[in-house]
Amino acid sequence: MNGGPSGFNNAPVTKSFVIACALFTVFFGIQGRSFKLGLSYQDIFRKLSIWKLIVSVFAFSSTPELMFGLYLLYYFRVFERQIGSNKYTVFILFSIMVSLLFEVMALAILKDPTANLLTSGPYGLIFASFVPFYFDIPVSTWFRIFGVHFSNKSFVYLAGLQLLLSSWKRSLFPGICGILAGSLYHLNVLCIRRAKFPEFITSFLSRFSWSSMGNLPTAPARNLAGNVPSFTTRQVEVEVF
């Protein structure tokens, strides 16, 4: 499924986030520490390893998770193009912070000092993005393979399902926390969808994106902000076999 024009045009924040995730994952993977980045009750409440909260947002624990995760992050750049880099940065921070809060609450409730319960990676942002993907991105194509109906959105859902179940319970909990965070954003809790950063902050983020494309104008706010979709929908049905 195509998320619009190829590349990171008008999506400098997404580009920065994708590069950061790739670098963190490779760095800790080379050191053989990828599987040690997941959150546990002992890390947060006994050792107070707060650094893990930050690192776990970026670094995936395995190569398959990295591949599916980066694919989904790359596809969801469509939301940055629709609402602009400023509001998309707010969406990223809100999704990450709220999902982390839910994860810490889950660790506090389960209180298992021996288990590494939560896998690392930007699961909060990825699965929060599935909420506007479900509500705001229309289906444009239907097709059948061996009698089974699929839409052009099906493969994104399948990639998300693969990532959600990649580490079973360790990835299932962060994924659910991300969906809850995305639902709160969709419900406009605390009027979060109106929040914006000062212009000097977004200007700094654009320069920090390793690309001159950060200076290009971003697309006006659309679906994620609850406005009229920015594109028309063509319903096409294709039958294979």
Side-chain angles (χ1 to χ4, degrees):
M1 179 181 176
N2 189 10
S6 61
F8 290 98
N9 289 310
N10 290 329
V13 176
T14 300
K15 181 178 182 180
S16 299
F17 199 89
V18 166
I19 292 175
C21 289
L23 291 178
F24 271 86
T25 303
V26 171
F27 175 76
F28 286 101
I30 291 175
Q31 295 183 337
R33 299 170 58 189
S34 296
F35 289 99
K36 299 179 181 179
L37 298 177
L39 300 180
S40 67
Y41 178 83
Q42 183 133 349
D43 290 329
I44 303 303
F45 294 99
R46 293 189 179 179
K47 296 181 179 179
L48 298 178
S49 302
I50 305 301
W51 66 272
K52 271 195 171 185
L53 288 174
I54 301 174
V55 174
S56 66
V57 169
F58 296 98
F60 290 96
S61 62
S62 67
T63 301
E65 291 177 46
L66 174 67
M67 293 175 60
F68 282 101
L70 292 189
Y71 163 72
L72 290 169
L73 288 171
Y74 178 75
Y75 173 77
F76 289 140
R77 75 197 186 283
V78 64
F79 297 130
E80 181 177 359
R81 290 170 173 170
Q82 290 172 350
I83 67 175
S85 296
N86 193 316
K87 286 191 174 183
Y88 189 67
T89 303
V90 174
F91 174 72
I92 289 177
L93 292 178
F94 179 85
S95 301
I96 290 174
M97 293 175 65
V98 173
S99 62
L100 278 178
L101 177 62
F102 283 133
E103 290 177 24
V104 171
M105 290 172 58
L107 292 174
I109 294 172
L110 296 174
K111 291 184 179 179
D112 189 344
T114 62
N116 191 2
L117 289 176
L118 306 177
T119 190
S120 62
Y123 282 77
L125 172 60
I126 291 172
F127 287 96
S129 300
F130 272 100
V131 177
F133 177 73
Y134 174 79
F135 286 106
D136 299 327
I137 302 297
V139 172
S140 59
T141 305
W142 287 97
F143 56 93
R144 289 195 298 176
I145 300 179
F146 299 111
V148 180
H149 286 270
F150 293 93
S151 75
N152 60 318
K153 297 174 65 174
S154 298
F155 296 106
V156 179
Y157 285 124
L158 290 174
L161 183 63
Q162 169 65 34
L163 187 63
L164 184 67
L165 302 178
S166 58
S167 299
W168 189 220
K169 292 181 180 180
R170 296 179 66 243
S171 56
L172 189 62
F173 277 116
I176 293 174
C177 292
I179 293 173
L180 291 175
S183 299
L184 291 178
Y185 187 93
H186 183 75
L187 293 173
N188 199 23
V189 173
L190 301 177
C191 298
I192 186 62
R193 292 193 297 187
R194 296 182 181 179
K196 295 182 68 175
F197 285 107
E199 289 302 323
F200 73 90
I201 294 180
T202 55
S203 176
F204 170 78
L205 290 175
S206 295
R207 293 194 184 99
F208 191 66
S209 65
W210 298 291
S211 172
S212 61
M213 289 184 295
N215 296 323
L216 294 175
T218 56
R222 284 299 183 266
N223 297 352
L224 201 58
N227 294 330
V228 180
S230 60
F231 46 83
T232 57
T233 305
R234 288 189 304 118
Q235 293 288 343
V236 180
E237 184 165 346
V238 180
E239 183 171 355
V240 180
F241 299 108

